[in-house]
Amino acid sequence: MTNYDAIDFSVLETLSADEVVTHSPARDIRLASGKVLALITLDNGRDHTRPNTLGPATLAELGRTLAGLKLRAAAGEIDAVGITGKQYILAAGADLSEVSNVPSREIARMIAQRGHQVLGSLSELGVPTFAFVNGLALGGGLEIALNSTYRTVDASAAAIALPEVFLGIIPGWGGAYLLPNLIGIENALEVVISNPLKQNRMLKPKQAFDYGIVDAIFPAATYLEDSLRWADGVLSGAVKVERKNEPGKIERLTKWPIAIKMARGMLESRIGTVPRSPYVALELLDKARGGTKAEGFAREDEALADLVVGDQFAASMYAFDLVQKRAKRPVGAPDKALAKKVTKVGIIGAGLMASQFALLFVRKLQVPVLITDLDQARVDKGVAYIHEEIGKLEAKGRLDGDTANRLRALVTGTTDKSLYADCDFVIEAVFEEVGVKQQVFGEIETIVAEDAVLATNTSSLSVEEIGAKLAHPERLVGFHFFNPVAVMPLIEIVKTPATTDAALSTAFVVAKNLGKNAVLTADAPGFVVNRLLAKVMGEAARAVYEGTPLLTVEKAFAPLGLPMTPFQLIDLVGWKVAAHVQDTMAHAFPDRFFASENFHALAELPEVVEKDKNGRVTGWTKAAQKILVTGSAPASESEILRRVQDGLAQEIRTMLDEGVVAEVEDIDLCLILGAGWPFIDGGASPYLDREGASERVFGDTFHHPPIRGIGG
């Protein structure tokens, strides 16, 4: 058993020179019964845009506060201890900028041990402890609550989560041991592993209450008063806290190992075996079934130390920084003061993509949205779809009745294009063919105001060519969404040589107001994401054409860690779309991109690949086998992987040389947000540096020094 009090943690103080310290002052509150509760309020002195975090100096101060309260409890001066946060925030977890700078595994383990020492003392004060989760509680913030005796939550708290697996580490301050023993293994697997892997999904307060993570939930207006009254009731025995999953009630013999086994199978099918943190977390949750808390904490210490010094955490922190900082301040975006105010949006088309656009625009901008199409039947179908989707959101409680009715009223459809006259922003969602797009924009340009912005959602065509016949091509921008529109967070904003700063600024402001992250790209074939995915898909197609078995090709791509294998992805986007993109890229860069007639032939079939119940590709359909043209020189898995690594390194280097984006960070950001490229790779470029592909292709690395862990 680790004696945390015997460890000299003073070395950690040297890591915290730039730390924004979260202070932990305590004040006595006399409860209605006459009992005294000492209430700690975590506060870093900043507003809600800078959450409380738990760096080394913060933990040192909190440790001193708790030690003092332990003495007061022993002297009979206080009956309980409560801990809460500044307005809207308990704590957002460890100060990750400090954790990512650790110089050694020993120091990494010490960070885990320090957290266990300080937060763990919440259960050793000699009096009951209450965590009043008054707002955001992530990672170490939630672990403060888990280490306490009782927990309440503010019904308006922004989010509650253990997101560590998303960042390539594990809950290392008690979460991996305490949570499954509080709420049972199945719920714990959801919170610790499944949610982080679903784009870092968070819990709402009601879910946290339903799972049993917190004991009571109170409305925001009277949250602290209600929590103190409840705590007084608990102390006096008037309130009986019942937990359906208390240790004695949790079934451990059969349900626990079965849940772990099922989770392992789910992980292997969904993410492969390259990411380390989900499997380390799974192991910790499995072992939490037995043994003491001290043993559980010691396991967390070692696991966290191993992961913090590894390549995957270093890459994850690079990716996290891109998403948290760079994405919020897009490089190359003109001054937002230049943007035209958008009071009405026009959408050319009424098909599925156009209808998804309309739903997003009306929900986020809450301005009138007009859709048009060639005939009224198509328009009516599009409007009906939008109304139906608004109805679903209302049924789920995500929109109230008044808002739902207002949004429905804002969406109109017509075949009369003259109604575009007062639109400030018009986006097309028509067939992916230059002539069609030129024609619809030509009609609209004569109707809209001179300063109205025109946007094309093309995925690979030249934006400049689409605008070539316009009288004012300077108002045209590329505004490329990813499917599904509501979910994918990226928009590639494409600038042509003619695009004005005013049009570009409008596009960036609209993207932000839609809740999307925008990256500026030059008008180059495939822009960023589709160009690089075309490289991946092209190498898969080439290997099949050479005669490589389908499953060999699929397995060869596993080390990339992408959320889908190449043929899963092609089957999702559609074989016709994939064939079109490959043709576009091979036409633009015939020496570097592979296009296969196989794609066009397969695109005519109703089904091309067979899949198991988890969506994994298991083989070609019989119809596909009959028409596939293949050679007799199959490639090995290692050959295919090396070709795709070198091909990606070459393409990214070329894109940077051509000025498609400002810096390699923008390419990684696009891949993370638009293609689900895993955080543990940091996007493509850190991965290609680590694998030696950059060195092989152009004799250098994208990053100086390469992004690696201490132990990498």
Side-chain angles (χ1 to χ4, degrees):
M1 190 174 94
T2 307
N3 180 3
Y4 294 126
D5 293 332
I7 299 170
D8 179 7
F9 290 110
S10 59
V11 66
L12 295 183
E13 307 294 323
T14 62
L15 296 178
S16 57
D18 300 325
E19 181 182 342
V20 176
V21 179
T22 297
H23 297 291
S24 46
R27 61 190 169 103
D28 286 357
I29 295 179
R30 188 166 293 278
L31 304 172
S33 65
K35 293 181 185 293
V36 177
L37 178 143
L39 181 65
I40 300 166
T41 302
L42 300 174
D43 193 345
N44 64 5
R46 308 290 179 91
D47 68 16
H48 67 278
T49 61
R50 183 67 192 257
N52 295 331
T53 52
L54 307 172
T58 296
L59 288 174
E61 182 177 323
L62 180 57
R64 290 191 293 271
T65 301
L66 292 171
L69 293 175
K70 185 173 184 176
L71 292 174
R72 293 188 65 209
E77 295 175 18
I78 55 173
D79 302 287
V81 171
I83 186 164
T84 192
K86 68 180 184 182
Q87 193 172 20
Y88 309 125
I89 290 159
L90 178 61
D95 188 333
L96 290 172
S97 61
E98 306 291 350
V99 177
S100 61
N101 290 328
V102 297
S104 67
R105 185 186 184 280
E106 186 183 351
I107 298 295
R109 181 173 57 189
M110 205 174 275
I111 288 172
Q113 293 170 329
R114 182 59 150 168
H116 279 131
Q117 181 206 32
V118 175
L119 304 194
S121 70
L122 281 160
S123 65
E124 298 163 1
L125 299 184
V127 291
T129 50
F130 294 83
F132 302 139
V133 182
N134 66 307
L136 187 76
L138 306 180
L142 180 52
E143 285 168 312
I144 286 173
L146 293 174
N147 278 282
S148 301
T149 323
Y150 303 101
R151 293 156 288 279
T152 72
V153 70
D154 183 323
S156 70
I160 294 155
L162 292 173
E164 288 86 350
V165 162
F166 179 69
L167 297 170
I169 49 176
I170 49 98
W173 288 348
Y177 177 83
L178 295 172
L179 190 69
N181 284 299
L182 176 69
I183 66 173
I185 187 61
E186 287 151 322
N187 288 341
L189 284 164
E190 189 80 21
V191 175
V192 175
I193 297 176
S194 298
N195 283 354
L197 295 178
K198 291 174 183 168
Q199 294 292 314
N200 206 13
R201 182 180 289 176
M202 310 274 173
L203 297 177
K204 293 293 183 195
K206 179 69 165 61
Q207 292 172 293
F209 175 68
D210 291 342
Y211 276 8
I213 295 172
V214 293
D215 301 308
I217 183 168
F218 298 117
T222 54
Y223 172 67
L224 189 56
E225 298 93 309
D226 288 348
S227 291
L228 290 168
R229 192 180 306 112
W230 183 85
D232 199 12
V234 172
L235 293 171
S236 65
V239 172
K240 176 83 173 121
V241 179
E242 290 196 12
R243 295 175 183 151
K244 60 184 176 185
N245 287 323
E246 280 190 286
K249 300 176 184 175
I250 292 175
E251 203 287 306
R252 297 165 187 275
L253 290 177
T254 52
K255 190 184 283 186
W256 200 297
I258 288 169
I260 294 288
K261 184 179 179 184
M262 288 176 66
R264 191 179 301 279
M266 178 274 292
L267 284 176
E268 288 172 359
S269 68
R270 272 193 54 213
I271 64 169
T273 55
V274 175
R276 289 188 61 207
S277 61
Y279 291 99
V280 174
L282 190 67
E283 198 68 28
L284 290 171
L285 291 171
D286 186 20
K287 289 179 176 170
R289 177 165 59 127
T292 64
K293 180 168 78 170
E295 290 166 344
F297 283 12
R299 285 193 294 267
E300 289 178 1
D301 292 336
E302 299 304 323
L304 191 64
D306 285 343
L307 290 169
V308 162
V309 299
D311 288 343
Q312 292 187 359
F313 178 61
S316 293
M317 290 314 301
Y318 164 77
F320 184 71
D321 206 50
L322 292 182
V323 170
Q324 291 298 311
K325 295 176 184 171
R326 193 178 185 92
K328 291 174 172 52
R329 292 187 288 277
V331 175
D335 185 344
K336 58 179 180 285
L338 298 171
K340 178 177 172 58
K341 185 172 170 57
V342 174
T343 59
K344 183 179 176 183
V345 173
I347 297 169
I348 308 171
L352 182 58
M353 198 69 165
S355 300
Q356 287 185 66
F357 289 172
L359 183 64
L360 180 67
F361 276 95
V362 78
R363 280 192 69 200
K364 297 294 186 178
L365 303 190
Q366 306 219 349
V367 299
V369 174
L370 173 72
I371 65 171
T372 64
D373 214 313
L374 298 173
D375 60 67
Q376 195 61 41
R378 291 186 202 185
V379 171
D380 292 344
K381 186 179 177 185
V383 172
Y385 168 85
I386 297 158
H387 285 187
E388 190 180 315
E389 291 300 307
I390 291 170
K392 287 179 187 174
L393 293 168
E394 186 183 1
K396 289 177 184 171
R398 291 172 64 186
L399 293 175
D400 61 46
D402 288 347
T403 305
N405 287 334
R406 191 172 79 254
L407 295 183
R408 286 189 196 97
L410 286 171
V411 179
T412 54
T414 181
T415 56
D416 180 4
K417 294 187 175 62
S418 70
L419 296 182
Y420 280 116
D422 56 347
C423 288
D424 310 293
F425 188 92
V426 180
I427 183 168
E428 63 76 20
V430 298
F431 186 67
E432 189 74 345
E433 206 275 312
V434 170
V436 176
K437 293 182 191 290
Q438 286 178 336
Q439 182 190 339
V440 296
F441 277 138
E443 290 174 32
I444 297 303
E445 188 181 31
T446 61
I447 298 166
V448 296
E450 282 192 12
D451 59 349
V453 174
L454 303 179
T456 171
N457 180 52
T458 182
S459 57
S460 58
L461 300 173
S462 164
V463 178
E464 186 177 15
E465 191 179 350
I466 290 169
K469 296 183 178 178
L470 290 174
H472 294 285
E474 67 276 5
R475 64 161 81 184
L476 179 66
V477 295
F479 205 73
H480 178 220
F481 283 92
F482 292 81
N483 217 351
V485 169
V487 176
M488 298 302 284
L490 179 69
I491 293 177
E492 290 175 327
I493 292 182
V494 185
K495 178 184 181 181
T496 74
T499 309
T500 63
D501 280 353
L504 206 57
S505 176
T506 305
F508 273 100
V509 170
V510 168
K512 186 178 184 201
N513 291 340
L514 291 174
K516 301 297 185 185
N517 298 120
V519 175
L520 180 65
T521 109
D523 187 19
F527 313 128
V528 175
V529 175
N530 282 344
R531 180 162 171 174
L532 294 172
L533 287 182
K535 174 55 76 175
V536 170
M537 293 190 288
E539 291 304 328
R542 188 197 306 273
V544 166
Y545 183 71
E546 290 169 340
T548 314
L550 175 62
L551 295 186
T552 302
V553 179
E554 293 282 88
K555 283 197 303 203
F557 285 79
L560 291 178
L562 285 168
M564 291 187 182
T565 60
F567 290 104
Q568 261 184 310
L569 179 64
I570 292 167
D571 207 53
L572 177 74
V573 301
W575 289 80
K576 276 192 168 71
V577 173
H580 172 74
V581 171
Q582 291 303 136
D583 286 352
T584 301
M585 299 313 300
H587 177 73
F589 311 115
D591 56 327
R592 299 200 307 276
F593 281 81
F594 180 82
S596 166
E597 279 306 312
N598 277 330
F599 271 27
H600 289 281
L602 294 170
E604 299 306 315
L605 299 176
E607 287 188 350
V608 179
V609 290
E610 293 177 341
K611 297 178 185 173
D612 64 17
K613 64 179 189 298
N614 294 313
R616 287 181 297 194
V617 172
T618 56
W620 300 110
T621 60
K622 286 180 180 173
Q625 287 172 19
K626 284 180 185 173
I627 61 172
L628 267 174
V629 177
T630 59
S632 56
S636 67
E637 286 180 33
S638 59
E639 280 178 89
I640 298 166
L641 179 62
R642 189 174 174 119
R643 285 199 308 224
V644 77
Q645 288 173 344
D646 290 1
L648 286 168
Q650 173 68 66
E651 209 52 40
I652 292 171
R653 182 70 263 160
T654 303
M655 290 163 76
L656 293 171
D657 292 343
E658 292 173 351
V660 174
V661 291
E663 296 172 297
V664 74
E665 286 82 358
D666 292 315
I667 288 176
D668 290 324
L669 185 57
C670 283
L671 289 172
I672 291 163
L673 297 177
W677 207 285
F679 259 53
I680 59 157
D681 278 352
S685 69
Y687 166 79
L688 297 170
D689 283 351
R690 287 197 308 274
E691 293 295 313
S694 317
E695 198 73 49
R696 290 195 298 268
V697 170
F698 58 90
D700 197 357
T701 53
F702 290 111
H703 299 275
H704 302 93
I707 294 163
R708 299 191 71 100
I710 302 299

